[in-house]
């Protein structure tokens, strides 16, 4: 019997069309699922949608429809994007599915009956006009952190989960299973910032809205959206408290939960504690990938920089989108996506490196041998090196995929294609074709190239399934072996194909600006609908985790100074950058800052602020920047605010 492999994506909130960041996650999980299937595993790949919560309730109300009607519409969009990018999932769960709702209610009841959940009193702050709750730590002076109006103190009944009861067992599990959360940096963050300081009991119900799963027997409360959503990983397999179901018996525990870095906390702490309380085995691994940013900015509707897979696929094709997202996201850090970088990667890697290699090779074999694959002779010249590169690449791809280094695995395949292109230059088949008595050597060279391409296509299958199929069709081969010798001599290749037509950047930008104008118009129409809803979920805001502890000596390395803005103008070639002339007292500096979306230059002139004065110069958009202006929010926030200095501060003074 095949070994099983169960993997899941996070289930995105059903509050709007998923953007390319959410979609990256399903592409990544799909690549791993396809790879595992290729390796002979019995794979179960789960994805779905997270459909409850006040945000959805509020959006539906604004549109004058029921929450169910609202999520039905968004669910269709998620399904269509997942299918566009080729997600080969085995099951799609919706948290509004009846079996899921029943199982979550039963889980809650069981945890209540066994004393892990208890009824207590929730104390906090409430903003009546915003319908938003806040905790003590979020509030200063009794004013709403969002709108500044006075808040009401609330005390209401709520249910709490005794997290602390299981903290030691979780800690022990983490110590005994060092690979439980990857990358290790994310594990350490969570242990240091949340587990070691001690876990608070978690409030697991809400009563200020109704769009959720009611608490059994106490229906004015609904179950907290994270308890509801996390349970999807077992309810989708047919788990309920008094029945386990065949899929659950076969596939649980999960082999890997693939999620984004912002929700590692929920998966590494709340989820295992829920499972411990239910007496179920813990997942084997949680992999928290980085975020795909627009350049260095977080994607957000308010910044107008959100990219969607369907629109990108119109420009770059589905495999263009899969290739870019999979290769641009490093194992442990964030990735960046822009139209420019996508076009550059598309042209250099897909059109030039891969596309040309396949086209040139198949065309030459057709021209010189009528498409008939020749029998290879002895190794000569660079043959051994090429073959070693191929077998080394097969090994590398496996090692890297087995440890979820997906972008590194993909880049190994493209390095191999580059080596094959070099082999063409080294062996110069066009010269061999003109040389008397060199036909056998020419046949060997082309055989080696065709084999490299075939194995490359097999290796590419999990990442770019469509392209891999097209390449194998060009070779008229269905051999999936990854060792040399799979292509049968005297069989005939198919027709050469242009796999990826080069993209003309000017044309691309004309298309994009046309679309942007269209979208702006649409955005205007739905502006009110999309205004960020200030909700109770603000209390669940995903804070950027604290960075690791540093020594005092590290802290004093940046030389922070008070500076005054003398001049401030936009940088012509950039939508993001402002160019400053700053007075440091002892000198003036030119500094660039990516805050053009948040401030008008005239708002900043004359202000005093804090800058990093000993940062090495950097050139951006052709302009040099000699330092950095401090601002709150940075690339992970929609709300970027410069840290202005008190008017009385002296220019040039050190800050620290
Ligand atoms: O968190 N780049 O849903 P969600 C990469 N419903 N990944 C990104 C991203 C980006 N720019 N933005 C978001 C939720 N993600 C919950 C999950 S699971 C039981 C419940 C990732 O719609 C994000 O990290 O906010 C998460 O893994 C997924 O997209 C869905 O995010």
């Amino acid at each position: 019997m095949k070994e099983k492999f169960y993997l899941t994506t996070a289930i995105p909130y059903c509050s709007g069309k998923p953007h390319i960041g959410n979609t990256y996650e399903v592409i990544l999980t799909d690549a791993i699922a396809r790879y595992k299937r290729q390796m002979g595993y019995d794979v179960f790949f789960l994805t779905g949608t997270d459909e409850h919560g006040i945000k959805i309730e509020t959006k539906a109300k604004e549109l004058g429809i029921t929450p169910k009607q609202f999520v039905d519409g968004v669910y269709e969009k998620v399904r269509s994007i997942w299918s566009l990018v080729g997600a080969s999932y085995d099951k799609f769960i919706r948290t509004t599915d009846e079996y899921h709702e029943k199982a979550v209610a039963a889980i809650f009841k069981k945890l209540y009956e066994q004393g892990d959940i208890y009824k207590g009193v929730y104390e906090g702050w409430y903003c009546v006009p915003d319908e938003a709750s806040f905790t003590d730590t979020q509030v200063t002076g009794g004013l709403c952190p969002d709108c500044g109006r006075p808040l009401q103190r609330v005390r209401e009944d709520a249910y709490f989960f005794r997290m602390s009861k299981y903290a030691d067992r979780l800690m022990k599990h983490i110590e005994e299973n060092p690979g439980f959360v990857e990358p290790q940096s994310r594990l350490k963050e969570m242990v240091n910032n949340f587990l070691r300081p001690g876990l608070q009991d978690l409030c697991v119900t809400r009563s200020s809205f109704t769009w959720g799963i009611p608490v059994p027997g106490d229906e004015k409360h609904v179950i907290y959206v994270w308890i509801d959503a996390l349970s999807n990983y077992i309810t989708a397999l047919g788990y309920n408290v008094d029945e386990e179901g065949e899929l659950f018996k076969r596939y649980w525990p999960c082999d890997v939960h693939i999620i984004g870095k912002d929700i590692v906390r929920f998966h590494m702490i709340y989820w295992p504690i829920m499972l411990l309380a239910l007496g179920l085995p813990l997942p084997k691994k949680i992999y928290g990938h980085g975020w795909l940013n627009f350049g260095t900015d977080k994607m957000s509707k308010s910044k107008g920089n959100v990219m969607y897979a369907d629109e990108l696929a119109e420009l770059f094709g589905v495999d263009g989108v899969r290739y870019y997202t999979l290769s641009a996201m490093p194992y442990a850090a964030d990735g960046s996506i822009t139209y420019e970088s996508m076009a550059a990667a598309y042209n250099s890697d897909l059109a030039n490196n891969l596309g040309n290699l396949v086209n040139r090779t198949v065309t030459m074999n057709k021209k010189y041998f009528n498409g008939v694959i020749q029998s290879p002779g002895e190794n000569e010249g660079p043959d051994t090196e090429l073959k070693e590169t191929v077998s080394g690449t097969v090994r590398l791809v496996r090692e890297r995929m087995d440890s979820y280094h997906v972008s590194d695995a993909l880049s190994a395949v493209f390095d191999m294609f580059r080596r094959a292109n070099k082999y063409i230059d080294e062996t110069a088949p066009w010269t061999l074709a003109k040389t008397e008595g060199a036909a056998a050597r020419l046949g060997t060279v082309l055989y080696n190239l065709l084999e490299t391409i075939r194995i490359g296509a097999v290796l590419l299958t999990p990442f770019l399934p469509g392209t891999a199929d097209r390449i194998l069709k060009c070779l008229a081969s269905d051999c999936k072996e990854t060792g040399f010798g799979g292509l049968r001599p005297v069989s005939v290749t198919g027709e050469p194909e242009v796999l990826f037509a080069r993209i003309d950047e000017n044309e691309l930008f004309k298309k994009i600006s046309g679309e942007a104008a269209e979208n702006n118009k649409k955005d205007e129409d739905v502006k009110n609908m999309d205004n960020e809803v200030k909700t109770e979920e603000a209390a669940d805001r995903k804070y950027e985790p604290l960075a690791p502890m540093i020594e005092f000596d590290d802290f004093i390395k940046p030389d922070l100074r008070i500076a005054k803005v003398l001049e401030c103008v936009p940088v012509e070639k950039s939508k993001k950058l402002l160019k400053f002339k700053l007075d440091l007292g002892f000198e003036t500096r030119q500094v660039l800052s990516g805050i053009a979306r948040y401030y008008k230059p005239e708002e900043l002139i004359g202000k005093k602020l804090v800058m990093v004065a000993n940062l090495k110069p950097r050139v951006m958009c052709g302009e040099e920047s000699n330092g950095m202006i401090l601002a709150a929010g940075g690339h992970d926030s929609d709300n970027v605010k410069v840290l202005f200095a008190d008017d009385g501060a002296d220019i040039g003074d050190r800050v620290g």
Side-chain angles (χ1 to χ4, degrees):
M1 197 178 184
K2 284 181 177 179
E3 200 176 325
K4 69 93 186 172
F5 194 88
Y6 176 36
L7 79 174
T8 65
T9 64
I11 47 173
Y13 287 123
C14 222
S15 50
K17 176 174 163 178
H19 59 54
I20 189 64
N22 311 130
T23 312
Y24 157 72
E25 184 171 292
V26 80
I27 296 176
L28 172 72
T29 313
D30 181 66
I32 297 167
R34 287 176 188 264
Y35 164 75
K36 288 287 175 187
R37 287 191 201 108
Q38 203 178 38
M39 291 295 108
Y41 285 83
D42 164 18
V43 169
F44 195 87
F45 169 10
L46 175 72
T47 187
T49 36
D50 188 354
E51 303 194 353
H52 290 124
I54 190 166
K55 196 162 180 166
I56 287 161
E57 188 177 281
T58 313
K59 284 202 168 186
K61 213 179 274 169
E62 283 168 4
L63 293 172
I65 56 177
T66 65
K68 184 66 171 66
Q69 285 169 328
F70 180 80
V71 292
D72 283 349
V74 178
Y75 158 77
E76 288 301 336
K77 288 188 187 143
V78 177
R79 282 291 281 245
S80 90
I81 293 205
W82 273 204
S83 102
L84 171 81
V85 298
S88 60
Y89 52 83
D90 296 285
K91 176 151 185 165
F92 193 109
I93 183 171
R94 303 177 64 180
T95 56
T96 52
D97 286 337
E98 202 185 328
Y99 68 88
H100 170 81
E101 293 190 344
K102 277 195 181 145
V104 171
I107 289 170
F108 190 96
K109 188 159 174 267
K110 179 180 160 93
L111 297 178
Y112 179 73
E113 282 168 359
Q114 68 189 34
D116 287 323
I117 290 180
Y118 62 93
K119 195 166 183 179
V121 175
Y122 169 80
E123 274 203 56
W125 297 94
Y126 190 67
C127 177
V128 180
D130 285 353
E131 290 186 58
S133 300
F134 300 96
T135 59
D136 285 338
T137 50
Q138 293 172 305
V139 171
T140 30
L143 298 177
C144 175
D146 285 339
C147 68
R149 285 176 280 208
L151 293 167
Q152 275 184 8
R153 187 77 189 155
V154 284
R155 256 178 75 84
E156 59 189 23
D157 290 350
Y159 290 80
F160 293 84
F161 196 127
R162 271 182 233 285
M163 289 278 145
S164 48
K165 179 173 158 193
Y166 294 96
D168 288 348
R169 278 174 66 191
L170 176 60
M171 198 62 200
K172 188 160 171 278
H173 181 84
I174 291 168
E175 278 159 11
E176 285 168 3
N177 297 276
F180 184 51
V181 175
E182 302 273 2
Q184 287 289 307
S185 52
R186 303 209 202 285
L187 174 83
K188 286 189 190 131
E189 265 167 37
M190 294 298 131
V191 170
N192 291 338
N193 298 338
F194 294 101
L195 269 178
R196 286 209 203 285
L199 287 181
Q200 308 263 320
D201 287 354
L202 176 72
C203 181
V204 287
T205 54
R206 299 288 185 265
S207 54
S208 56
F209 63 97
T210 56
W211 181 239
I213 303 174
V215 169
D218 197 357
E219 308 222 327
K220 74 179 205 308
H221 302 267
V222 292
I223 297 172
Y224 178 41
V225 76
W226 274 100
I227 299 282
D228 171 357
L230 288 163
S231 307
N232 94 86
Y233 301 132
I234 50 176
T235 62
L237 298 180
Y239 173 87
N240 201 328
V241 291
D242 46 13
E243 63 181 284
E244 295 208 324
E246 286 312 306
L247 287 176
F248 183 81
K249 284 190 208 137
R250 169 95 184 111
Y251 292 107
W252 192 259
C254 183
D255 290 273
V256 63
H257 290 307
I258 308 271
I259 54 165
K261 62 176 184 176
D262 58 323
I263 56 172
V264 170
R265 175 162 56 109
F266 300 89
H267 284 77
M268 184 187 136
I269 299 175
Y270 302 162
W271 178 226
I273 287 184
M274 280 173 69
L275 291 166
L276 287 173
L278 290 170
L280 295 175
L282 303 193
K284 293 188 197 157
K285 191 179 287 295
I286 294 155
Y287 171 58
H289 60 74
W291 268 28
L292 200 52
N293 294 319
F294 182 77
T296 53
D297 282 348
K298 185 184 164 189
M299 270 182 225
S300 82
K301 284 197 179 157
S302 52
K303 285 188 200 164
N305 61 4
V306 184
M307 296 167 114
Y308 297 100
D310 51 347
E311 291 167 13
L312 291 171
E314 291 269 314
L315 303 168
F316 302 99
V318 168
D319 275 357
V321 174
R322 286 182 68 108
Y323 175 75
Y324 188 84
T325 51
L326 290 173
S327 62
M329 190 71 100
Y331 171 70
D334 286 349
S336 148
I337 182 167
T338 60
Y339 294 106
E340 290 90 337
S341 59
M342 272 191 96
Y346 179 99
N347 282 338
S348 80
D349 301 346
L350 296 177
N352 285 0
N353 185 11
L354 171 60
N356 275 350
L357 173 69
V358 175
N359 190 273
R360 281 207 285 176
T361 306
V362 178
T363 305
M364 286 192 285
N365 202 56
K366 196 166 167 71
K367 181 166 165 197
Y368 302 136
F369 297 111
N370 254 335
V372 178
I373 296 172
Q374 303 296 295
S375 279
E378 292 293 302
N379 284 347
E380 269 181 46
D383 297 5
T384 313
E385 199 192 313
L386 177 71
K387 290 180 182 175
E388 279 170 359
T389 304
V390 173
S391 54
T393 305
V394 173
R395 265 197 313 277
L396 261 184
V397 169
R398 290 198 183 146
E399 265 167 42
R400 292 175 177 178
M401 286 305 278
D402 287 340
S403 60
Y404 305 108
H405 286 69
V406 176
S407 62
D408 299 321
L410 186 53
S411 72
V413 186
F414 279 76
D415 287 345
M416 183 183 92
F417 292 139
R418 252 182 294 280
R419 179 65 192 88
N421 274 313
K422 188 168 157 224
Y423 178 87
I424 299 185
D425 298 339
E426 289 163 344
T427 52
W430 47 89
T431 310
L432 291 173
K434 287 188 213 134
T435 311
E436 194 81 6
R441 176 67 191 143
L442 178 61
T444 304
V445 163
L446 288 177
Y447 183 89
N448 289 343
L449 283 166
L450 290 165
E451 254 310 69
T452 305
I453 291 169
R454 184 190 64 76
I455 295 169
V458 176
L459 294 178
L460 275 187
T461 302
F463 309 94
L464 312 179
T467 303
D469 275 357
R470 287 168 72 196
I471 298 174
L472 291 171
K473 211 182 253 159
C474 284
L475 304 180
S477 169
D478 56 8
C479 174
K480 301 285 159 61
E481 296 301 319
T482 48
F484 243 77
L487 281 176
R488 276 171 296 112
V490 299
S491 65
V492 182
T493 61
E495 287 303 307
E497 221 200 299
V498 176
L499 292 173
F500 300 96
R502 275 189 71 80
I503 287 178
D504 178 310
E505 279 209 26
N506 288 331
E507 288 301 313
L508 177 76
F509 282 102
K510 264 191 229 152
K511 258 198 212 168
I512 296 168
S513 45
E515 269 164 25
E518 262 297 290
N519 288 342
N520 280 345
K521 199 176 147 293
K522 279 191 222 150
D523 278 358
E524 272 303 303
D525 298 342
V526 289
K527 210 169 184 176
N528 287 335
M529 172 185 148
D530 272 347
N531 259 346
E532 283 307 314
V533 195
K534 288 174 194 140
T535 67
E536 187 159 333
E537 275 162 19
D540 300 331
R541 188 177 141 195
K542 299 162 188 167
Y543 287 92
E544 177 81 359
L546 273 185
M549 287 295 168
I550 57 167
E551 298 296 333
F552 184 74
D553 286 353
D554 296 322
F555 165 69
I556 55 173
K557 279 184 194 157
D559 190 338
L560 305 179
R561 298 289 175 133
I562 302 288
K564 184 172 177 180
V565 182
L566 297 176
E567 290 170 18
C568 177
V569 288
V571 172
E572 257 180 34
K573 286 186 218 148
S574 164
K575 286 190 194 133
K576 282 186 267 168
L577 291 175
L578 291 179
K579 183 166 79 176
F580 290 82
K581 193 159 158 203
L582 297 177
D583 183 2
L584 266 175
F586 48 94
E587 64 182 65
T588 55
R589 288 280 183 94
Q590 172 167 309
V591 172
L592 303 179
S593 178
I595 56 173
R597 288 207 182 90
Y598 315 100
Y599 289 96
K600 295 200 181 77
E602 56 274 21
E603 290 175 88
L604 298 166
I605 295 169
K607 289 267 171 74
K608 286 181 188 168
L609 44 74
V610 183
M611 72 171 288
V612 187
N614 60 339
L615 200 61
K616 287 189 180 153
R618 245 181 100 188
V619 176
M620 291 182 272
C621 292
E623 296 277 0
E624 191 170 284
S625 182
N626 293 287
M628 184 192 267
I629 290 171
L630 294 193
H635 64 265
D636 252 12
S637 167
D638 292 349
N639 185 24
V640 173
K641 290 280 175 251
V642 170
L643 298 187
F644 293 116
D646 189 295
D647 236 8
D650 281 330
I651 296 171
D653 264 5
R654 207 167 165 178
V655 179

